[in-house]
């Protein structure tokens, strides 16, 4: 079992939409022999044209169930790539998926640099010290100067970087990369940027053969830049990377399949195998004999004839066997699964045995919730699966008084799935739905009607941020509750939340109640 666990690499690729995540994923699958032709995972992506049509997006998301996890073998390793939806409205899905990865590859477009989503996603990774590897993509296009770009990444994301490869030229003049890790030069072949020359070992960059290979000007630039790098950036240190303190950087072009093999080869070697996970009472280690897992994603089937949902569970420790009784900790019930799913490239099939680091898909008829744990009997509750403050807030009203029960059930189940978050106002019991993207409101309305037979409408609720609050100063907390009663709500775990109506009132509250801690996420 230990050997199986050590050879697993479970990671996510994150980027701002359009930086090249899908293209890179596809190239990695090609290397792993998991797909035979380019274009096979394109269905994974939500088309740009569909951004205003949520049904179309849901349909495409339906397709993407299959690509939620892409597993393949490469050399002696088993690789699990967890798909993270690029569409901003599904950012919450991505945040949760990041609770199940052991490392990430961050793709940055050389011309666009650090974009809004890049910053947010990297922040979520840094919260848990997830090791980050950076891939600067689209080197075949004109973009920012490499030093400036690395500066930007360090400043905006707060990463410490250590380049392991360095570009020779860019755009029209892009000739290839110098692999600092293995001290070799990889050059594009001739005019066609599709083929790669054999890598050329260069032990000494001052060797005059460099001029013959890339020309006088490029040779001088490369020598100067490599010298500068060793002065400016820290030497690469695997342990610092694994602790999330130092990020190696690679350059390439996913579309042209350039720099991808180097990235993958280095990745399997240095990226961490499945990592321990924090639970309330203890740290759970992957090589413990007993099985444990937690649900990080639930995918509903939009087809009313097949209402079953699929819950994605990451195995934290031990091994999982089909048709074996496990404890669903929250309900206290023993359950066994006759048709658990595993994912290989873009196909899914029934799995007999899976190990820590793997993802299994568990069929669910509405009993599971994000964060739920499965064990062999221990009452584990995993930590670090927080909700973040939503961006949009609306009251939800019941439009059909005869269907109140259906509405409540529907809302509860959709919240368990993580479609949105529910807050109940303390003073009048009104329900507020908070989402990351406005699109979710349509999704909820549609699904309540078609799956639960309930009708709802929304009303604007002006709110800036939901802040989870706590304090060890009981007197101050009571005074805060007295003054801000109208703005207090409970989340689905009955935690106290302050619905700040503006950044100004939040600041005022912080100044006035210095002993109260305001958190933008539900775990602290
Ligand atoms: P995403 O998943 O991060 O959103 O990005 P995706 O891979 O879909 O890439 C976005 C666009 O960037 C695509 O073009 C893709 O072909 C292009 N691209 C990816 N890698 C490179 C690269 O290394 N060099 C260049 N020049 N382009 C790259 P598109 O026109 O939007 O889509 P498509 O019609 O090519 O599918």
């Amino acid at each position: 079992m230990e050997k199986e666990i050590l050879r697993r690499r479970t990671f996510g690729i994150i980027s701002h939409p359009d930086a090249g995540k899908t293209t890179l994923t596809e190239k990695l699958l090609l290397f792993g022999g998991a797909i035979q032709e380019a274009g096979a995972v394109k269905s994974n992506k939500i088309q740009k044209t569909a951004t205003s049509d949520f049904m179309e997006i849901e349909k495409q998301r339906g397709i993407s169930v299959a690509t939620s996890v892409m597993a393949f073998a490469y050399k002696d390793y088993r690789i699990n790539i967890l798909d993270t939806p690029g569409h901003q409205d599904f950012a919450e899905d991505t945040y949760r998926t990041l609770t199940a990865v052991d490392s990430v590859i961050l793709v940055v477009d050389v011309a666009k640099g650090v974009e809004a989503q890049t910053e947010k996603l990297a922040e979520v990774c840094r919260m848990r010290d997830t090791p980050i590897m950076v891939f600067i993509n689209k080197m075949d296009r004109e973009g920012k100067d490499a030093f400036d770009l690395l500066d930007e990444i360090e400043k905006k994301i707060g990463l410490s970087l250590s380049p392991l490869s360095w570009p020779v030229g860019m755009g029209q003049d892009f000739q290839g990369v110098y692999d600092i890790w293995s001290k070799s030069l990889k050059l594009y072949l001739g005019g066609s940027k599709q083929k790669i020359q054999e890598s050329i070992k260069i032990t000494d960059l001052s060797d005059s053969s460099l001029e013959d290979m890339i020309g006088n000007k490029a040779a001088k630039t490369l020598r100067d830049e490599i010298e500068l790098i060793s002065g400016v950036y820290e030497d690469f240190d695997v342990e610092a990377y694994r602790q999330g303190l130092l990020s190696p950087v690679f350059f390439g072009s996913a579309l042209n399949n350039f720099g991808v093999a180097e990235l993958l080869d280095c990745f399997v070697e240095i990226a961490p195998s499945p990592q321990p996970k924090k639970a309330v009472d203890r740290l759970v280690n992957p090589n413990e004999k007993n099985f444990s897992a937690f649900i990080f994603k639930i995918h509903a089937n939009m087809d009313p004839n097949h209402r079953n949902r699929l819950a994605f569970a990451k195995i934290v420790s031990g091994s999982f066997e089909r048709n074996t009784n496990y404890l669903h900790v929250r309900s206290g019930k023993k359950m066994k699964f006759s048709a658990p799913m595993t994912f290989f490239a873009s196909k899914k099939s029934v799995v007999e045995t899976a190990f820590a680091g793997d993802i299994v898909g568990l069929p669910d008829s509405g009993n599971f919730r994000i964060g739920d744990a499965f064990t062999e009997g221990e009452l584990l509750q995993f930590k670090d699966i927080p909700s973040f403050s939503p961006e949009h807030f609306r009251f939800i009203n019941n439009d059909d008084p005869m269907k109140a029960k259906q509405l409540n059930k529907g809302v509860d189940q959709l919240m368990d799935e993580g479609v949105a978050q529910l807050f109940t106002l303390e003073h009048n019991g009104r329900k507020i739905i908070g989402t990351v993207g406005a699109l979710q409101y349509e999704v909820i309305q549609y699904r309540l009607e078609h799956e639960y037979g309930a009708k709802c409408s929304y009303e604007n609720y002006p709110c800036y941020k939901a802040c989870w609050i706590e304090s060890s100063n009981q007197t101050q907390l009571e005074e805060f509750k007295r003054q801000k009663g109208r703005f207090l709500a409970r989340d689905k775990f009955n935690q106290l939340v302050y619905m700040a109506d503006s950044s100004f009132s939040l600041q005022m509250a912080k100044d006035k109640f210095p002993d109260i801690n305001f958190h933008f996420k539900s775990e602290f």
Side-chain angles (χ1 to χ4, degrees):
M1 185 173 87
E2 196 162 334
K3 210 171 132 211
E4 280 298 333
I5 295 172
L6 281 176
R7 73 185 191 97
R8 274 158 167 76
R9 299 285 181 272
T10 302
F11 75 106
I13 303 181
I14 54 173
S15 74
H16 191 85
D18 266 356
K21 183 171 72 70
T22 314
T23 315
L24 179 63
T25 308
E26 193 171 272
K27 293 293 147 68
L28 294 176
L29 291 176
L30 278 170
F31 274 110
I35 54 170
Q36 264 62 52
E37 54 184 324
V41 290
K42 271 285 165 189
S43 56
N44 175 5
K45 202 178 155 184
I46 293 161
Q47 306 290 322
K48 287 166 212 146
T49 49
T51 43
S52 58
D53 180 352
F54 89 89
M55 268 314 283
E56 190 48 37
I57 290 183
E58 276 302 321
K59 247 193 257 159
Q60 293 183 24
R61 257 161 60 83
I63 297 168
S64 79
V65 182
T67 55
S68 288
V69 185
M70 288 158 282
F72 63 93
Y74 180 72
K75 296 186 173 169
D76 285 338
Y77 299 92
R78 164 155 169 140
I79 297 179
N80 297 313
I81 305 182
L82 272 53
D83 185 35
T84 55
H87 197 288
Q88 198 197 323
D89 283 11
F90 296 103
E92 188 82 23
D93 247 20
T94 298
Y95 301 156
R96 279 191 300 256
T97 298
L98 292 177
T99 63
V101 301
D102 299 304
S103 70
V104 300
I105 294 181
L106 169 68
V107 183
V108 178
D109 180 328
V110 66
K112 299 215 177 109
V114 176
E115 298 172 84
Q117 263 319 73
T118 333
E119 265 181 270
K120 264 197 181 162
L121 293 168
E123 196 185 316
V124 174
C125 293
R126 296 195 50 231
M127 256 171 43
R128 284 184 210 95
D129 299 322
T130 308
I132 301 176
M133 200 177 256
V134 180
F135 183 69
I136 310 278
N137 191 27
K138 306 198 186 180
M139 289 307 295
D140 58 316
R141 288 206 187 148
E142 292 303 327
K144 302 187 178 191
D145 168 76
F147 284 105
D148 290 348
L149 185 55
L150 298 196
D151 245 17
E152 183 182 329
I153 297 174
E154 290 202 319
K155 288 213 177 83
K156 285 199 180 157
I157 309 188
L159 295 181
S160 295
L161 301 177
S162 174
L164 287 188
S165 83
W166 197 255
V168 181
M170 176 196 291
Q172 284 295 325
D173 301 325
F174 182 48
Q175 299 197 53
V177 291
Y178 175 64
D179 187 337
I180 299 175
W181 178 248
S182 66
K183 291 200 169 34
S184 58
L185 197 60
K186 290 184 174 120
L187 297 176
Y188 268 151
L189 195 65
S192 112
K193 293 200 166 169
Q194 298 291 344
K195 294 224 170 64
I196 303 151
Q197 222 169 45
E198 289 287 287
S199 69
I200 307 153
K201 200 95 192 149
I202 298 215
T203 35
D204 185 4
L205 267 186
S206 59
D207 194 321
S208 63
S209 64
L210 189 65
E211 268 81 359
D212 302 336
M213 285 184 277
I214 60 175
N216 292 350
K217 195 165 154 239
K220 179 172 183 327
T221 310
L222 181 64
R223 283 188 194 117
D224 291 349
E225 291 183 342
I226 295 294
E227 197 181 319
L228 197 56
I229 288 169
S230 58
V232 174
Y233 296 101
E234 276 181 57
D235 279 348
F236 182 66
D237 172 37
V238 179
E239 275 319 305
Y241 156 68
R242 288 189 184 151
Q243 288 167 22
L245 302 172
L246 186 67
S247 293
V249 183
F250 294 83
F251 293 82
S253 162
L255 187 66
N256 298 299
N257 214 351
F258 198 86
V260 180
E262 291 72 23
L263 177 77
L264 183 59
D265 282 335
C266 182
F267 173 81
V268 289
E269 208 176 300
I270 69 172
S273 55
Q275 293 295 291
K277 183 142 187 94
K278 276 189 217 151
V280 172
D281 297 323
R282 66 185 190 91
L283 195 67
V284 182
N285 280 300
N287 55 5
E288 289 179 18
K289 201 172 115 289
N290 285 346
F291 160 81
S292 69
F294 71 96
I295 293 177
F296 64 93
K297 172 179 177 139
I298 295 177
H299 207 294
N301 197 333
M302 289 296 286
D303 179 350
N305 298 322
H306 301 92
R307 284 268 297 278
N308 273 1
R309 314 189 294 184
L310 195 62
F312 291 81
K314 158 110 187 260
I315 304 177
V316 179
S317 65
S319 63
F320 168 92
E321 305 287 339
R322 187 169 84 93
N323 271 331
T324 303
N325 266 316
Y326 293 118
L327 176 70
H328 176 234
V329 176
R330 188 169 52 86
S331 67
K333 287 189 187 139
K334 291 260 172 142
M335 296 181 177
K336 62 179 169 189
F337 299 93
S338 57
M341 292 290 157
T342 185
F343 308 86
F344 186 75
S346 48
K347 289 189 209 70
K348 56 181 202 272
S349 57
V350 171
V351 62
E352 293 295 334
T353 308
F355 296 92
D358 286 340
I359 310 299
V360 286
L362 307 175
D364 165 39
S365 52
N367 301 312
F368 301 158
R369 183 190 277 175
I370 305 274
D372 278 359
F374 291 94
T375 66
E376 294 193 20
E378 188 178 353
L379 301 178
L380 278 179
Q381 197 186 332
F382 287 106
K383 283 175 55 168
D384 276 350
I385 314 166
S387 302
F388 293 86
S389 171
E391 306 284 331
H392 304 265
F393 301 85
R394 290 185 197 168
F395 282 121
I396 180 164
N397 296 324
N398 182 8
D399 275 6
D400 183 350
M402 306 294 288
K403 298 282 171 65
K405 232 167 127 184
Q406 285 87 336
L407 184 87
N408 286 338
K409 181 176 174 211
V411 169
D412 273 356
Q413 287 200 347
L414 294 183
M415 299 306 127
D416 285 351
E417 247 176 59
V419 175
Q421 292 178 61
L422 184 71
F423 301 96
T424 310
L425 281 183
E426 286 256 274
H427 72 293
N428 61 8
R430 287 196 73 183
K431 290 181 159 54
I432 296 161
I433 303 249
T435 66
V436 176
L439 201 71
Q440 249 73 345
Y441 291 104
E442 282 176 68
V443 175
I444 293 168
Q445 204 167 34
Y446 179 92
R447 290 191 52 191
L448 283 174
E449 187 168 344
H450 289 82
E451 294 174 32
Y452 301 90
K455 280 203 166 66
C456 77
S457 58
Y458 302 109
E459 212 177 297
N460 206 27
Y461 178 73
C463 182
Y464 161 67
K465 282 264 155 65
C467 306
W468 284 263
I469 55 173
E470 40 109 26
S471 176
S472 50
N473 182 339
Q474 232 20 47
T475 324
Q476 206 166 89
L477 193 60
E478 287 310 316
E479 181 55 22
F480 182 80
K481 283 188 189 168
R482 204 182 58 76
Q483 288 191 25
K484 298 282 179 189
R486 273 192 326 120
F487 300 97
L488 292 181
R490 296 276 168 181
D491 71 1
K492 69 174 178 195
F493 299 108
N494 209 29
Q495 295 192 102
L496 195 59
V497 184
Y498 167 49
M499 312 294 277
D501 57 346
S502 68
S503 68
F504 178 72
S505 38
L506 176 59
Q507 195 49 52
M508 292 282 284
K510 282 181 176 169
D511 292 345
K512 203 164 165 194
F513 299 94
D515 287 352
I516 294 185
N517 299 314
F518 297 81
H519 305 275
F520 290 140
K521 58 183 171 69
S522 64
E523 266 185 30
F524 27 86

